[in-house]
Amino acid sequence: MGGVTGLVLVGGFGTRLRPVTYTVPKQLIPVAGRPILYHALDLLPPEVDRIVLACGYKAEVFEAYLQANPYPRPVKLVRETTPLGTGGGLKNVASEATDPFYLLNGDVIAGFDLEPLSRTLTEEGGLGILGFVEVEDPSPYGVARFDPAGRVVEFVEKPSREAAPSRWINAGVSLWRREVLEAIPPGVAVSFEREILPGLLPRKVLGMRYRAWWEDAGTPARLLNAQALLFDHPRTDRLPAPSRLDGARVLPPIAVGAGSSGEGATVGRYVTLGRNVKLRRGARVENSVVLDAAEIGPGALVKDSVLGPGVVVAPDERLVGVCRALEDPGQKA
Ligand code: GDD
Ligand code: MG
């Protein structure tokens, strides 16, 4: 089967990953050797033969990346000129939607099989079906309550911990009938989760509760957790060549981009190095993402950190739990 479109929201500012997202949009930060976006797109079942990115912030960076590093399925890019929010962003790509269509947040990774969404929506009917996952603290997410038949009867976006109706959160993957798009006003900024979804519930919205690994890569800690999850659950159909770094002490799993070097350095576990990264002798990198052309000085330590392109770490400097970039307007006086 084919002919289903996957609409993917990637237009946010990535504020919680600043300053790195001043240059690299969140979804293009590599984890386990590939951009978060590509891991997210892997979630879309094989029947999805066309992917449309709803872009806003840094659309030109997505365009250049996709051109230089094509994803295995066709990807079209649609830009919005002003940020329209998740609802407005979806409405802006409405003409691309098939019936039904998948909707995906471009920053989520998961060990989910989405095929049952389509089966359940066909069998039970309704406007759409969303994937949910249970977490310890649901307050940073969209939270649902279900009736015994699995229908969503309440949805609250980012409630306080006390007000959360359950610990089951919107995993950012869903399948919708095309008519849902008529519920979104055109040309204005709207939040799908806050302003549209609650009003759709009387028209039958289903929930699929998954018990599998999942993460939203929206903050440095969550991005690094996403990386660890992806390294620990490699896809069996597309195993990457094991990464090497000549002359370095490697603690797998790691992923190393072309042109990177690390003679006398220690790397791992859970590290992605971009292209042309230089690790000097005695440098150590652990549980981190280090982007293109960064340089880690001799004897320096980088741990639990995300470093943007071209960052230079001084000799013997210790960076633990930092998110740093060359360009950081927040640091200017
Ligand atoms: N096109 C477009 N335009 N995309 C946008 C816009 C916009 O104005 N604003 C945000 N996005 C994109 C983001 O880039 C991201 O890929 C996706 O929409 C979700 O936005 P986030 O900013 O990451 O939202 P969140 O993580 O706080 O919450 C959302 O995801 C959670 C699961 O990861 C909500 O959908 C929650 O309900 C959900 O639990
Ligand atoms: Mg998110």
Short mmCIF file of all heavy atoms in Angstrom, two decimals, residues 15-42:
data_model
loop_
_atom_site.label_atom_id
_atom_site.label_comp_id
_atom_site.label_asym_id
_atom_site.label_seq_id
_atom_site.Cartn_x
_atom_site.Cartn_y
_atom_site.Cartn_z
N THR A 15 13.97 26.96 21.29
CA THR A 15 14.50 27.89 22.32
C THR A 15 15.21 27.15 23.46
O THR A 15 16.18 27.67 24.00
CB THR A 15 13.36 28.72 22.95
OG1 THR A 15 12.33 27.84 23.39
CG2 THR A 15 12.77 29.69 21.93
N ARG A 16 14.73 25.96 23.79
CA ARG A 16 15.32 25.27 24.93
C ARG A 16 16.67 24.65 24.60
O ARG A 16 17.34 24.10 25.46
CB ARG A 16 14.33 24.20 25.44
CG ARG A 16 13.05 24.80 26.01
CD ARG A 16 11.94 23.76 26.15
NE ARG A 16 11.46 23.29 24.86
CZ ARG A 16 10.45 22.43 24.70
NH1 ARG A 16 9.84 21.94 25.75
NH2 ARG A 16 10.07 22.06 23.49
N LEU A 17 17.06 24.73 23.30
CA LEU A 17 18.39 24.25 22.90
C LEU A 17 19.28 25.39 22.42
O LEU A 17 20.27 25.18 21.74
CB LEU A 17 18.27 23.16 21.84
CG LEU A 17 17.98 21.77 22.40
CD1 LEU A 17 17.40 20.86 21.34
CD2 LEU A 17 19.25 21.15 22.98
N ARG A 18 18.92 26.62 22.77
CA ARG A 18 19.82 27.72 22.51
C ARG A 18 21.04 27.60 23.41
O ARG A 18 20.91 27.07 24.51
CB ARG A 18 19.10 29.06 22.80
CG ARG A 18 18.13 29.41 21.70
CD ARG A 18 17.40 30.68 22.03
NE ARG A 18 16.45 31.00 20.97
CZ ARG A 18 15.47 31.89 21.11
NH1 ARG A 18 15.31 32.54 22.26
NH2 ARG A 18 14.66 32.14 20.12
N PRO A 19 22.22 28.08 22.99
CA PRO A 19 22.48 28.81 21.75
C PRO A 19 22.74 27.96 20.51
O PRO A 19 22.88 28.50 19.43
CB PRO A 19 23.75 29.61 22.11
CG PRO A 19 24.47 28.72 23.07
CD PRO A 19 23.40 28.04 23.88
N VAL A 20 22.80 26.63 20.64
CA VAL A 20 23.14 25.81 19.47
C VAL A 20 22.12 26.03 18.35
O VAL A 20 22.47 26.10 17.17
CB VAL A 20 23.23 24.31 19.87
CG1 VAL A 20 23.34 23.42 18.64
CG2 VAL A 20 24.44 24.09 20.78
N THR A 21 20.84 26.21 18.71
CA THR A 21 19.79 26.38 17.69
C THR A 21 19.79 27.77 17.05
O THR A 21 18.98 28.02 16.16
CB THR A 21 18.41 26.06 18.28
OG1 THR A 21 18.30 26.72 19.55
CG2 THR A 21 18.22 24.58 18.47
N TYR A 22 20.69 28.66 17.46
CA TYR A 22 20.84 29.90 16.70
C TYR A 22 21.45 29.61 15.33
O TYR A 22 21.26 30.35 14.37
CB TYR A 22 21.73 30.90 17.44
CG TYR A 22 21.06 31.56 18.63
CD1 TYR A 22 21.61 31.45 19.90
CD2 TYR A 22 19.88 32.29 18.46
CE1 TYR A 22 20.99 32.06 20.99
CE2 TYR A 22 19.27 32.90 19.54
CZ TYR A 22 19.82 32.78 20.80
OH TYR A 22 19.22 33.38 21.87
N THR A 23 22.20 28.51 15.22
CA THR A 23 22.76 28.17 13.91
C THR A 23 22.18 26.88 13.34
O THR A 23 21.94 26.79 12.14
CB THR A 23 24.31 28.02 13.96
OG1 THR A 23 24.66 27.37 15.17
CG2 THR A 23 25.00 29.35 13.87
N VAL A 24 21.95 25.88 14.18
CA VAL A 24 21.44 24.60 13.70
C VAL A 24 20.03 24.40 14.25
O VAL A 24 19.84 24.38 15.45
CB VAL A 24 22.33 23.43 14.21
CG1 VAL A 24 21.87 22.11 13.62
CG2 VAL A 24 23.79 23.69 13.90
N PRO A 25 19.02 24.24 13.37
CA PRO A 25 17.67 24.00 13.91
C PRO A 25 17.65 22.67 14.68
O PRO A 25 18.35 21.73 14.33
CB PRO A 25 16.77 23.95 12.68
CG PRO A 25 17.66 23.74 11.51
CD PRO A 25 19.03 24.24 11.90
N LYS A 26 16.85 22.65 15.72
CA LYS A 26 16.79 21.48 16.63
C LYS A 26 16.75 20.15 15.89
O LYS A 26 17.51 19.24 16.20
CB LYS A 26 15.55 21.64 17.51
CG LYS A 26 15.12 20.40 18.28
CD LYS A 26 14.07 20.69 19.34
CE LYS A 26 12.72 21.09 18.79
NZ LYS A 26 11.72 21.24 19.88
N GLN A 27 15.87 20.06 14.91
CA GLN A 27 15.66 18.76 14.25
C GLN A 27 16.86 18.31 13.43
O GLN A 27 16.95 17.16 13.03
CB GLN A 27 14.43 18.80 13.35
CG GLN A 27 13.12 18.97 14.07
CD GLN A 27 12.83 20.43 14.42
OE1 GLN A 27 13.62 21.33 14.13
NE2 GLN A 27 11.70 20.67 15.07
N LEU A 28 17.79 19.23 13.15
CA LEU A 28 18.98 18.83 12.37
C LEU A 28 20.19 18.57 13.24
O LEU A 28 21.27 18.24 12.74
CB LEU A 28 19.30 19.90 11.31
CG LEU A 28 18.32 19.98 10.15
CD1 LEU A 28 18.82 20.97 9.10
CD2 LEU A 28 18.05 18.62 9.51
N ILE A 29 20.06 18.70 14.54
CA ILE A 29 21.17 18.32 15.42
C ILE A 29 21.31 16.80 15.33
O ILE A 29 20.34 16.07 15.48
CB ILE A 29 20.90 18.75 16.88
CG1 ILE A 29 20.78 20.27 16.96
CG2 ILE A 29 22.01 18.24 17.81
CD1 ILE A 29 20.39 20.79 18.34
N PRO A 30 22.54 16.33 15.02
CA PRO A 30 22.69 14.87 14.88
C PRO A 30 22.75 14.19 16.24
O PRO A 30 23.40 14.68 17.16
CB PRO A 30 24.01 14.73 14.13
CG PRO A 30 24.79 15.94 14.51
CD PRO A 30 23.79 17.04 14.77
N VAL A 31 22.04 13.09 16.35
CA VAL A 31 22.20 12.20 17.51
C VAL A 31 22.38 10.80 16.96
O VAL A 31 21.74 10.43 15.98
CB VAL A 31 20.98 12.27 18.48
CG1 VAL A 31 20.92 13.61 19.18
CG2 VAL A 31 19.68 11.99 17.78
N ALA A 32 23.28 10.04 17.58
CA ALA A 32 23.60 8.71 17.08
C ALA A 32 23.90 8.79 15.57
O ALA A 32 23.48 7.94 14.80
CB ALA A 32 22.49 7.71 17.38
N GLY A 33 24.59 9.85 15.17
CA GLY A 33 25.10 9.93 13.81
C GLY A 33 24.17 10.48 12.74
O GLY A 33 24.59 10.66 11.60
N ARG A 34 22.91 10.75 13.08
CA ARG A 34 21.96 11.29 12.09
C ARG A 34 21.12 12.38 12.74
O ARG A 34 20.89 12.34 13.95
CB ARG A 34 21.00 10.21 11.60
CG ARG A 34 21.60 9.17 10.70
CD ARG A 34 20.67 7.96 10.67
NE ARG A 34 19.67 8.04 9.60
CZ ARG A 34 18.41 7.63 9.72
NH1 ARG A 34 17.97 7.18 10.87
NH2 ARG A 34 17.59 7.70 8.71
N PRO A 35 20.59 13.31 11.93
CA PRO A 35 19.73 14.33 12.52
C PRO A 35 18.52 13.71 13.24
O PRO A 35 18.00 12.69 12.79
CB PRO A 35 19.24 15.14 11.32
CG PRO A 35 20.17 14.84 10.22
CD PRO A 35 20.74 13.48 10.47
N ILE A 36 18.09 14.35 14.30
CA ILE A 36 16.89 13.91 15.01
C ILE A 36 15.76 13.71 14.01
O ILE A 36 15.02 12.73 14.07
CB ILE A 36 16.47 14.98 16.03
CG1 ILE A 36 17.50 15.09 17.13
CG2 ILE A 36 15.10 14.67 16.62
CD1 ILE A 36 17.53 16.45 17.77
N LEU A 37 15.65 14.66 13.08
CA LEU A 37 14.57 14.59 12.08
C LEU A 37 14.56 13.25 11.35
O LEU A 37 13.49 12.66 11.15
CB LEU A 37 14.73 15.74 11.07
CG LEU A 37 13.74 15.72 9.91
CD1 LEU A 37 12.31 15.97 10.39
CD2 LEU A 37 14.12 16.76 8.85
N TYR A 38 15.72 12.77 10.92
CA TYR A 38 15.74 11.54 10.14
C TYR A 38 15.32 10.33 10.98
O TYR A 38 14.64 9.43 10.50
CB TYR A 38 17.12 11.32 9.49
CG TYR A 38 17.37 12.23 8.30
CD1 TYR A 38 16.65 13.41 8.13
CD2 TYR A 38 18.30 11.90 7.32
CE1 TYR A 38 16.87 14.25 7.04
CE2 TYR A 38 18.53 12.73 6.22
CZ TYR A 38 17.81 13.91 6.08
OH TYR A 38 18.04 14.72 5.00
N HIS A 39 15.73 10.34 12.25
CA HIS A 39 15.26 9.27 13.14
C HIS A 39 13.74 9.37 13.30
O HIS A 39 13.04 8.36 13.36
CB HIS A 39 15.91 9.39 14.52
CG HIS A 39 17.39 9.17 14.53
ND1 HIS A 39 17.97 7.95 14.30
CD2 HIS A 39 18.42 10.02 14.77
CE1 HIS A 39 19.29 8.05 14.40
NE2 HIS A 39 19.59 9.30 14.69
N ALA A 40 13.23 10.61 13.40
CA ALA A 40 11.78 10.81 13.56
C ALA A 40 11.05 10.31 12.31
O ALA A 40 10.05 9.60 12.40
CB ALA A 40 11.46 12.28 13.82
N LEU A 41 11.57 10.65 11.12
CA LEU A 41 10.92 10.25 9.87
C LEU A 41 10.88 8.73 9.72
O LEU A 41 9.97 8.18 9.10
CB LEU A 41 11.63 10.88 8.67
CG LEU A 41 11.62 12.41 8.58
CD1 LEU A 41 12.32 12.87 7.30
CD2 LEU A 41 10.20 12.97 8.64
N ASP A 42 11.87 8.04 10.29
CA ASP A 42 11.89 6.58 10.24
C ASP A 42 10.65 5.97 10.87
O ASP A 42 10.31 4.82 10.59
CB ASP A 42 13.13 6.03 10.97
CG ASP A 42 14.43 6.27 10.22
OD1 ASP A 42 14.38 6.68 9.04
OD2 ASP A 42 15.49 6.05 10.82
#
